[in-house]
Amino acid sequence: MNKKKVFVQGNEACVEAALYAGVDFFAGYPITPSTEIAEQLAYRLPKKGGKFIQMEDEISSMCAIIGASLTGLKSMTATSGPGFTLKQEAIGFAIMAEVPCVIVNVQRGGLSTGLPTSVQQGDVMQARWGTHGDHSIIALTASNHQDLFAMTIEAFNLAETYRTPVILLFDAVIGHMRESLIIPEPGELPLVERLKTSVDEKTNYHPYLPREDGRLPMSDFGGVHRYNVTGLMHDMWGFPSTDPRVAYILMHHLYEKIEGHVNEICRMKEFYLEDANCILISYGASARSALHVVQSRRARGERLGLLELQTLWPFPAEAVRQKCERAMYVIVVEMNLGQIMRVVKRAIDDPNKLFLANRIDGELITPQDIKNMLRMIYGKGV
Amino acid sequence: MSVKDYLRERYMPHLWCAGCGHGIVMNNLIRAIIDLGLSKNDIVMVTGIGCSSRISGYLDFHTLHTLHGRALAFATGVKLARPELSIIVPMGDGDAIAIGGNHFIHAARRNIDVTAIIMNNSIYGMTGGQFSPLTGHDKKATTAPFGSIDHPFDTVRLAMGAGASFVARTTTYHVTSMKNILKKAIMHKGFSVVEILSQCPTYFGKKNNMGNAVDMLNDYKTHTVPIGSKKKKENPDLIERGIFVQEEREEYCAEYEMLVKKVKKE
Ligand code: SF4
């Protein structure tokens, strides 16, 4: 096969994947370090007849993709740091109104304006809980461009399958680093297209009545079915309701449609886990350093393994518990103050065997940082 | 078709107070749409949050009831995605001009073909009567118990300054001209703004001793004049109504289509 091999930034790989997945609408606002995604799509989308718009702010970008998605277009936005915070209200709306869309967050350093051109992974919990009220969310990540390509397509597929916003939680290192990427042939990776209602014009269409399998067929805005979409609690017609039963059922549905499918949704990669007595758990750019340590220690005969998370939310708690069952030590490697570490702590049987190797100064965590933690655990001192 | 054919009766009774001006706006908006002969399937109504924004639930179009202030941002997405649809965005004054002010001026600047209707009751009704950017100096509200020290926007001048290609003002007293203005606004190719002074007897009226709904409607009759009227020169406090701007300008989605044609050729 004559595959197309390119040497690109992670942000460009994300654009290639979005186009492969069939993105037809992008709205965004410039922000470091995700801007290349908007720049590339401003060039690529008009060429295929897709829509690109630079909005007046981050908030309106998020709102615009929800509006576009309701008309049937695969829609996405991209942002970083403060921009992700500004989008949270509308992300909540998309969850509540069950509108498929993809939000890329190329994480940068620190809180507030922080370190705009540096790297951290500090938005893990904001991806989970950034918008107000109880809810569930899907958030994916990747540690190299080939995976980033696959996960971006997965994001579009999951958004359509579960009628929900999906967050791609990349980081500044992955977004800006250049490495080679093989773009798959069309048709090589499966794409999920929107599930449309089979109900005809004359029959009542219930936009919020799940089928037996839990999925909700959609009808495009501007089509033959006229219905109401709202961020208020609503019944199967999409009409506001304060009935406690309606609220209860909807809250459950929105949560369960994701948390009840953890096994179908979650992706992870395993390296030397079979006999590992020390397991590193990592994701994104941190997983590159973690893998380096595991491979070099294996070469010396030490039984290290790596569990690389590709789905952060919903969190695959049961899978993580099982995989860590026999390990003596579990070390979470991440670039924050332990956001995934605390989730792992709740998942595994013995929290006393858990350690954190992290970095929060805007620099990429190095293999040496992880090795220092190993020395400490093994009682060798730093 | 009658007005009733456009209502979702399943969702009645509506939540507007007796005497609220918003029902008059809804009635005349429906009449304008009937006159224009638009198909219900071709209309998308997008609203934000507030008393006025509930209008989308009651009408049988494609309706999108969104976030406070963000209706025009959602509407921009819908319109750019499907330019052939007619987009109508009724908003309240706080919704459109306070929290939604940024989206308002940028939608106007782009001249995107959306009809923005600002149902201006000079108050936040849904939350119980707090002052808005259109309440006015010395006027009272629950958050301005001693009278507001904030000066109001002039919505018409704001819309004109931001680049809207159709700008009009009317009131719930002047129903015939309201219907005609709405018809022209909906048919206008570009961003159209219609400010409709709409009474809130429950909060704005009560707080400012303006009497009941009928008294407030009478105020609209006596305190407004057609654009260019001699009376306005004698009494600058009178508010002008009518069509202030109506001009042909390149519309945003049409420009985008031209851009696509151009780059596809390259
Ligand atoms: S509070 Fe005022 S604006 Fe709201 S429904 Fe009542 S009268 Fe109308």
Side-chain angles (χ1 to χ4, degrees), chain B:
Chain B
M1 294 275 243
S2 74
V3 168
K4 260 186 138 186
D5 294 324
Y6 287 79
L7 295 175
R8 289 172 170 154
E9 286 184 64
R10 173 204 311 271
Y11 306 133
M12 301 286 162
H14 60 70
L15 57 63
W16 293 324
C17 310
C20 176
H22 295 346
I24 303 174
V25 177
M26 181 161 81
N27 185 337
N28 285 281
L29 178 61
I30 295 171
R31 288 172 197 277
I33 287 164
I34 294 174
D35 280 6
L36 292 171
L38 296 175
S39 151
K40 292 197 240 179
N41 279 349
D42 292 338
I43 298 176
V44 177
M45 178 167 281
V46 188
T47 59
I49 296 295
C51 293
S52 56
S53 298
R54 290 302 182 99
I55 190 173
S56 55
Y58 308 138
L59 291 172
D60 187 20
F61 306 127
H62 304 282
T63 56
L64 177 53
H65 176 235
T66 67
L67 302 168
H68 194 32
R70 317 293 174 212
L72 284 169
F74 282 85
T76 298
V78 176
K79 182 67 183 179
L80 184 59
R82 290 284 304 275
E84 68 280 15
L85 298 171
S86 292
I87 318 285
I88 302 174
V89 183
M91 295 173 281
D93 43 307
D95 196 34
I97 307 294
I99 190 167
N102 199 29
H103 311 309
F104 180 74
I105 57 174
H106 287 276
R109 176 181 60 80
R110 285 185 196 105
N111 195 33
I112 190 161
D113 185 12
V114 166
T115 306
I117 302 170
I118 300 173
M119 296 149 86
N120 174 10
N121 56 14
S122 309
I123 203 94
Y124 288 91
M126 184 69 94
T127 44
Q130 299 75 32
F131 74 91
S132 90
L134 299 184
T135 294
H137 198 254
D138 289 338
K139 291 280 187 298
K140 287 193 173 156
T142 59
T143 46
F146 312 111
S148 175
I149 59 164
D150 281 40
H151 290 276
F153 271 125
D154 179 332
T155 309
V156 164
R157 280 168 63 197
L158 178 67
M160 282 162 56
S165 53
F166 182 104
V167 182
R169 180 190 287 129
T170 182
T171 85
T172 45
Y173 177 83
H174 302 90
V175 288
T176 316
S177 84
M178 185 205 299
K179 188 181 83 172
N180 288 331
I181 285 174
L182 286 172
K183 278 162 69 175
K184 287 189 181 131
I186 293 167
M187 291 320 286
H188 179 74
K189 197 102 189 84
F191 190 67
S192 48
V193 178
V194 182
E195 180 187 22
I196 304 177
L197 308 184
S198 173
Q199 75 278 9
C200 169
T202 305
Y203 293 115
F204 189 65
K206 202 184 229 164
K207 279 270 162 207
N208 293 286
N209 301 319
M210 298 170 83
N212 61 20
V214 178
D215 299 324
M216 293 181 84
L217 282 166
N218 267 320
D219 279 352
Y220 290 148
K221 182 179 152 192
T222 50
H223 286 75
T224 67
V225 285
I227 299 170
S229 136
K230 255 208 282 182
K231 281 194 199 155
K232 168 85 180 168
K233 286 193 193 97
E234 289 150 19
N235 180 3
D237 288 345
L238 292 175
I239 300 165
E240 286 182 301
R241 62 187 144 77
I243 298 172
F244 295 80
V245 181
Q246 186 173 15
E247 42 181 63
E248 295 270 316
R249 272 220 321 275
E250 212 50 77
E251 190 272 332
Y252 189 78
C253 300
E255 285 223 61
Y256 192 88
E257 259 161 58
M258 270 164 25
L259 177 99
V260 166
K261 274 199 196 114
K262 196 175 96 189
V263 296
K264 271 187 170 170
K265 256 191 251 150
E266 273 167 14

Side-chain angles (χ1 to χ4, degrees), chain A residues 62-312:
Chain A
M62 187 61 217
C63 299
I65 68 164
I66 296 171
S69 177
L70 280 167
T71 73
L73 301 188
K74 285 190 177 175
S75 305
M76 118 182 201
T77 185
T79 190
S80 301
F84 191 51
T85 305
L86 287 166
K87 290 188 192 305
Q88 292 299 336
E89 183 195 20
I91 291 173
F93 181 90
I95 295 170
M96 181 63 134
E98 303 191 64
V99 183
C101 53
V102 173
I103 302 108
V104 184
N105 174 9
V106 184
Q107 295 170 94
R108 62 192 221 179
L111 70 165
S112 188
T113 313
L115 298 162
T117 53
S118 305
V119 69
Q120 265 181 35
Q121 294 171 316
D123 300 346
V124 172
M125 279 299 165
Q126 195 187 8
R128 178 65 188 85
W129 292 113
T131 199
H132 60 277
D134 266 321
H135 60 274
S136 186
I137 191 89
I138 300 176
L140 316 175
T141 182
S143 65
N144 63 63
H145 292 7
Q146 207 61 50
D147 287 355
L148 185 152
F149 190 96
M151 294 317 279
T152 300
I153 286 170
E154 184 74 0
F156 280 94
N157 287 349
L158 291 172
E160 294 298 340
T161 305
Y162 294 99
R163 257 188 88 165
T164 192
V166 175
I167 293 161
L168 282 167
L169 207 53
F170 300 139
D171 56 62
V173 165
I174 299 297
H176 279 165
M177 174 185 75
R178 281 179 195 278
E179 68 179 5
S180 51
L181 165 77
I182 295 166
I183 298 175
E185 296 291 319
E188 210 177 313
L189 295 180
L191 301 180
V192 176
E193 299 308 330
R194 187 157 299 182
L195 179 67
K196 302 262 172 94
T197 179
S198 54
V199 161
D200 68 17
E201 198 171 338
K202 290 180 197 74
T203 316
N204 278 332
Y205 161 66
H206 299 102
Y208 295 103
L209 182 65
R211 297 197 307 197
E212 240 166 56
D213 63 358
R215 292 190 68 187
L216 292 91
M218 295 185 76
S219 176
D220 295 346
F221 255 47
V224 295
H225 303 107
R226 297 180 300 276
Y227 58 95
N228 190 49
V229 175
T230 178
L232 288 164
M233 287 285 174
H234 49 270
D235 59 18
M236 65 182 181
W237 300 92
F239 198 73
S241 171
T242 51
D243 182 338
R245 276 170 314 167
V246 170
Y248 179 86
I249 289 168
L250 183 56
M251 289 288 290
H252 251 281
H253 160 72
L254 293 176
Y255 190 76
E256 282 302 321
K257 75 173 182 181
I258 293 171
E259 300 296 329
H261 292 90
V262 173
N263 293 338
E264 288 103 306
I265 294 170
C266 287
R267 304 267 179 281
M268 58 187 76
K269 288 167 86 175
E270 298 173 27
F271 301 89
Y272 314 102
L273 283 193
E274 311 75 40
D275 64 340
N277 57 20
C278 176
I279 294 178
L280 306 186
I281 297 180
S282 193
Y283 53 93
S286 305
R288 296 174 77 98
S289 296
L291 182 60
H292 184 92
V293 170
V294 167
Q295 283 168 338
S296 64
R297 289 294 161 106
R298 278 278 164 180
R300 282 166 37 179
E302 289 178 33
R303 280 156 55 200
L304 254 70
L306 169 66
L307 176 60
E308 182 190 339
L309 304 172
Q310 295 184 290
T311 310
L312 296 180

